């Protein structure tokens, strides 16, 4: 019986009668639940033959398990008048019975044959060069965007640091201007020195505001240009 044994496997058994008398036959097996035999009994005319189909039912094949299944073809000469086949076998004497024993062999296909069948059934690989070449520029564009973003963030941090520094300087100058104003108000004599300090403090504030405004304008212009 050739494998694989995932479906019914059928093997034909040919019986021939070489004698000049009719012969009754019966096919027996040690595993009746595993096989279906058609016909399992009958009569063979002199010089003729009959084909018996032995059908093995599907099962899980274990290559390490040796097959112990056997068949026996039992025969006897047919009496002149046959009316009941069961009665023929019951009434037959042991010395009138003949038998032939057969051992079942399970064969799996060769591994090389399996590989050849699998390779033949596989479709040829198709190389789609358009799909491989198309997405290639995307990683480069992504890396460029990341670089630009990183530069913008660094520039933004630097400008924020400068703005904070200028804000501190502006606060310091504003405090200094307030202090000078207090000194000027407290100076009742209105000396030229106090007036000069008040003028310097008041003149420094507009110039500082101009510097801060210029930095903000440059920052926004640079952001839109990038």
């Amino acid at each position: 019986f050739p494998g694989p044994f995932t479906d019914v496997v059928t093997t034909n058994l040919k019986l021939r009668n070489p004698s000049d008398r009719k012969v009754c036959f019966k096919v027996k097996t040690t595993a009746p639940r595993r096989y279906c035999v058609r016909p399992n009994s009958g009569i063979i005319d002199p010089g003729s033959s009959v084909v018996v189909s032995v059908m093995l039912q599907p099962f899980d094949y274990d290559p390490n398990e040796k097959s112990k299944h056997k068949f026996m073809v039992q025969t006897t000469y047919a009496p002149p008048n046959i009316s009941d086949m069961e009665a023929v076998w019951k009434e037959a004497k042991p010395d009138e019975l003949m038998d032939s024993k057969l051992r079942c062999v399970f064969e799996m296909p060769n591994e090389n044959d399996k590989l050849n069948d699998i390779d033949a059934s596989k479709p040829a690989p198709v190389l789609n060069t358009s799909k491989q070449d198309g997405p290639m520029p995307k990683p480069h564009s992504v890396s460029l965007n990341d670089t630009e973003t990183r530069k913008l963030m660094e520039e933004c941090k630097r400008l924020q640091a400068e703005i904070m520094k200028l804000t501190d300087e502006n606060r310091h100058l504003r405090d200094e201007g307030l202090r000078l104003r207090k000194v000027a108000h407290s100076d009742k004599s209105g000396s030229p020195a106090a007036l000069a300090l008040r003028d310097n403090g008041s003149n420094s504030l507009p110039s500082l505001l101009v510097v801060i405004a210029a930095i903000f304008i440059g920052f926004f212009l640079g952001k839109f240009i990038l």
Side-chain angles (χ1 to χ4, degrees), residues 91-146:
E91 296 174 359
K93 297 179 181 180
D95 57 350
E96 296 177 350
L97 297 177
M98 297 169 284
D99 59 71
S100 298
K101 295 180 181 180
L102 302 172
R103 184 175 62 88
C104 297
V105 178
F106 301 143
E107 292 183 353
M108 290 294 291
N110 293 330
E111 294 298 329
N112 293 333
D113 295 340
K114 286 183 179 179
L115 293 176
N116 292 334
D117 293 341
I118 293 174
D119 293 339
S121 62
K122 282 184 178 180
V126 178
L127 297 177
N128 193 342
T129 55
S130 61
K131 290 186 178 179
Q132 294 179 355
D133 297 338
M136 288 300 290
K138 288 186 177 179
H140 297 286
S141 62
V142 172
S143 62
L144 290 175
N145 291 334
D146 292 341

Side-chain angles (χ1 to χ4, degrees), residues 76 79 81 84-94 96-97:
T76 184
N81 297 320
D84 187 2
M85 287 292 295
E86 293 295 331
V88 172
W89 295 107
K90 289 180 181 180
E91 296 174 359
K93 297 179 181 180
E96 296 177 350
L97 297 177

